[in-house]
Amino acid sequence: MDVSHTILEDVDILALSHILKQLPVVQKVDLSSCQLSGTQLSTLSPVLPRVVDLVLFSNSVDSPAMDDLAAVCSESRPSVHMQKLNLSLCSMYGEVAAKSLASVVASTHLGHLDLTGNTRFGNQGLASLAAALPEECSSVTWLSVANCGLQPGCAVALGQLVNKLPKLDELHLEYNCLANSDVENLLEELSSRHLRHLHLDNNHLDDGVVDSLCECLSVRQSLFRTSGGTSPAPPCFIYIHGNRMSEAVLNRIARQRVCS
């Protein structure tokens, strides 16, 4: 169901809610750029858990609306079908929004969470999300906090976050302002994990981080060789386009699974 780029009045929200109530499962609802208010989202909350792929791109999603969604998901958990949630460009920021978001994640089987472009989310939002998530959120395999205003000093929060997402397969961190030290600590956390795609494009990384990049990939190869017999290690790709690395360093890592 695609109603994207449509200005929805309150009567439209009621009609949409009525339609969705008739369906036990809805594969996708796209509400991108509908200028939804927090009140309208709260009105829709009782029927949203039955949507497998929910797209709220480019709306203003406030914390009360997320709290309402989390409460509904928690109450109807056995029948919650939500697996994908797109909250990119939704003006989410700060501790309250992060805690509300963590409640939604904890109350669903969410595998795909997109927070791209919430530029005010920042280190505080990341730290609050990591702290509020329950231990072992095993359903999340794809996460984007690209262009979320992350600054140097977010290493601890990043480490805590990935530790709570043991099945994370793809992590997007591009278009932030990460420091070498943040990435070095993250790579240490990720070296023994099954993560296959790490997006670090267009940060402030320079030649100083290359040893950690190569070491991470080398450790993964060694771990999988010693524990997996003859099977090769799962491919791991680290994307670093648009950083401040010299041509000599890029040539050095070209033989590794690092995508420059």
Side-chain angles (χ1 to χ4, degrees):
M1 183 180 296
D2 187 350
V3 292
S4 60
H5 303 281
T6 303
I7 308 301
L8 298 177
E9 304 294 340
D10 289 348
V11 65
D12 301 317
I13 295 295
L14 292 173
L16 178 59
S17 179
H18 178 74
I19 292 170
L20 294 176
K21 281 180 182 177
Q22 314 309 310
L23 305 171
V25 182
V26 184
Q27 287 303 312
K28 184 173 183 177
V29 174
D30 190 343
L31 293 165
S32 301
S33 302
C34 286
Q35 297 185 18
L36 297 177
S37 68
T39 301
Q40 289 176 325
L41 279 173
S42 293
T43 300
L44 286 173
S45 289
V47 295
L48 295 181
R50 66 190 67 193
V51 179
V52 176
D53 184 355
L54 177 60
V55 182
L56 294 172
F57 170 85
S58 193
N59 287 289
S60 183
V61 179
D62 59 16
S63 298
M66 293 298 292
D67 286 339
D68 289 342
L69 179 59
V72 172
C73 289
S74 180
E75 292 168 2
S76 56
R77 191 164 188 174
S79 59
V80 172
H81 297 281
M82 189 182 298
Q83 297 177 16
K84 292 185 177 183
L85 179 58
N86 186 332
L87 290 167
S88 52
L89 291 173
C90 281
S91 303
M92 299 190 70
Y93 66 94
E95 181 179 359
V96 175
K99 288 183 176 179
S100 301
L101 179 60
S103 296
V104 172
V105 175
S107 303
T108 63
H109 308 290
L110 209 61
H112 185 290
L113 177 60
D114 192 347
L115 300 175
T116 302
N118 288 289
T119 56
R120 296 175 62 193
F121 198 69
N123 290 13
Q124 182 186 18
L126 185 72
S128 298
L129 176 61
L133 281 174
E135 299 293 333
E136 298 289 316
C137 291
S138 58
S139 62
V140 179
T141 60
W142 192 103
L143 172 66
S144 176
V145 283
N147 194 22
C148 277
L150 302 184
Q151 302 293 323
C154 62
V156 173
L158 277 173
Q160 187 178 8
L161 184 64
V162 299
N163 276 328
K164 290 188 174 182
L165 305 175
K167 294 187 178 179
L168 191 63
D169 183 72
E170 184 161 350
L171 176 60
H172 289 257
L173 291 164
E174 57 265 50
Y175 292 98
N176 285 295
C177 296
L178 303 182
N180 283 3
S181 58
D182 298 317
V183 173
E184 288 165 357
N185 289 330
L186 175 62
L187 290 170
E188 187 175 345
E189 294 284 351
L190 293 175
S191 60
S192 62
R193 295 179 176 271
H194 286 255
L195 186 110
R196 293 188 302 143
H197 297 275
L198 175 60
H199 297 260
L200 296 168
D201 308 281
N202 294 284
N203 277 279
H204 290 179
L205 309 179
D206 58 31
D207 291 358
V209 78
V210 66
D211 288 338
S212 295
L213 288 170
C214 294
E215 177 67 15
C216 175
L217 294 171
S218 176
V219 168
R220 280 175 58 94
Q221 292 287 345
S222 299
L223 286 171
F224 281 100
R225 276 199 299 269
T226 57
S227 63
T230 58
S231 299
C236 178
F237 298 95
I238 302 177
Y239 303 84
I240 55 173
H241 175 77
N243 284 290
R244 300 171 176 175
M245 297 176 184
S246 66
E247 186 174 351
V249 162
L250 294 177
N251 288 335
R252 174 187 167 189
I253 62 181
R255 292 185 298 275
Q256 300 274 356
R257 288 190 180 95
V258 178
C259 302
S260 59

